[in-house]
Amino acid sequence: MPNFTTPAPPVTAVLPASRGPHGHAEGVSNDEFRAAMSRLAAGVVLVTALEASLDPDDPHAPAGEDVGMTATAFLSVSLDPPLVLVSLREGSRMDDLLDEQPLWAVSVLSESQRHIAGRFAMKGRVSDRLLFADIPYTRGAETGAPLVGGALATLECRTEQRVTAGDHTLVIGRVLTASLPSPDGGPLTYFRGRYRQLR
């Protein structure tokens, strides 16, 4: 009897999508990606931390400085334990600071605090000390970071994990304290490149 062999099916290779000059899959430009993501409404928070004095043993050394930045990439990660995540631009002042020390805070901004969001989102801005000058705040008992007065909610956090993700760092923090200074206000949101209020 002749020995017939069934030919094997052809092997189909799965190739990764080719990459453009900026590392995106071919066909997706930075502008297209930004435009698509701008259709995702997000809450607005102020992330704050206290930068310690460069020389705490020297009474003549400059005191520590408050640092703040506006963020829209902030979310709840876990209830048990209570974890949150914020995305920081790699190499930003806040990213560098939280790489050195683990304590930070978040103030969930209300619709009446658009000016605070805009102030801490400015590029080429003045020193953070001046930005905080006329903003009412208290200091967190656990972190020493500013907690904005009139915010819908405030959280104090300790970094549990840092994950590099492209040109950003994802900082996952354990929530140490949570309070509701002004729980009945409306939230400040960010949609299509503008701060907005819920209607």
Side-chain angles (χ1 to χ4, degrees):
M1 294 266 315
N3 185 10
F4 294 102
T5 304
T6 303
V11 176
T12 303
V14 178
L15 300 176
S18 58
R19 301 284 168 174
H22 301 291
H24 297 305
E26 188 175 342
V28 180
S29 70
N30 286 351
D31 289 342
E32 289 168 334
F33 181 65
R34 280 197 199 95
M37 292 298 96
S38 74
R39 269 56 177 182
L40 177 65
V44 184
V45 304
L46 184 70
V47 182
T48 56
L50 176 61
E51 184 175 40
S53 171
L54 295 177
D55 189 356
D57 297 327
D58 180 358
H60 302 292
E65 186 171 24
D66 295 320
V67 179
M69 62 156 278
T70 302
T72 56
F74 174 76
L75 56 95
S76 168
V77 174
S78 167
L79 182 61
D80 186 17
L83 299 175
V84 293
L85 178 151
V86 66
S87 179
L88 307 177
R89 183 172 49 80
E90 189 176 36
S92 66
R93 186 175 182 194
M94 186 65 73
D95 182 34
D96 290 343
L97 176 55
L98 296 190
D99 192 31
E100 297 173 1
Q101 63 99 345
L103 298 175
W104 46 286
V106 172
S107 297
V108 180
L109 299 180
S110 73
E111 59 191 4
S112 65
Q113 294 176 319
R114 179 184 305 201
H115 64 290
I116 296 176
R119 179 182 299 188
F120 284 90
M122 289 189 302
K123 295 181 179 178
R125 65 194 197 196
V126 298
S127 77
D128 285 44
R129 188 183 305 277
L130 295 176
L131 295 179
F132 279 104
D134 61 349
I135 295 175
Y137 65 85
T138 59
R139 290 207 175 274
E142 298 292 331
T143 63
L147 304 174
V148 176
L152 299 183
T154 59
L155 307 167
E156 292 187 89
C157 307
R158 182 184 64 239
T159 300
E160 296 267 305
Q161 188 176 359
R162 290 171 54 88
V163 180
T164 299
D167 57 4
H168 277 63
T169 303
L170 307 181
V171 180
I172 299 172
R174 180 182 291 255
V175 178
L176 305 175
T177 69
S179 62
L180 305 175
S182 299
D184 297 327
L188 181 63
T189 61
Y190 193 72
F191 178 68
R192 296 186 71 174
R194 293 177 53 195
Y195 298 116
R196 301 174 186 265
Q197 301 174 4
L198 290 184
R199 302 200 184 275

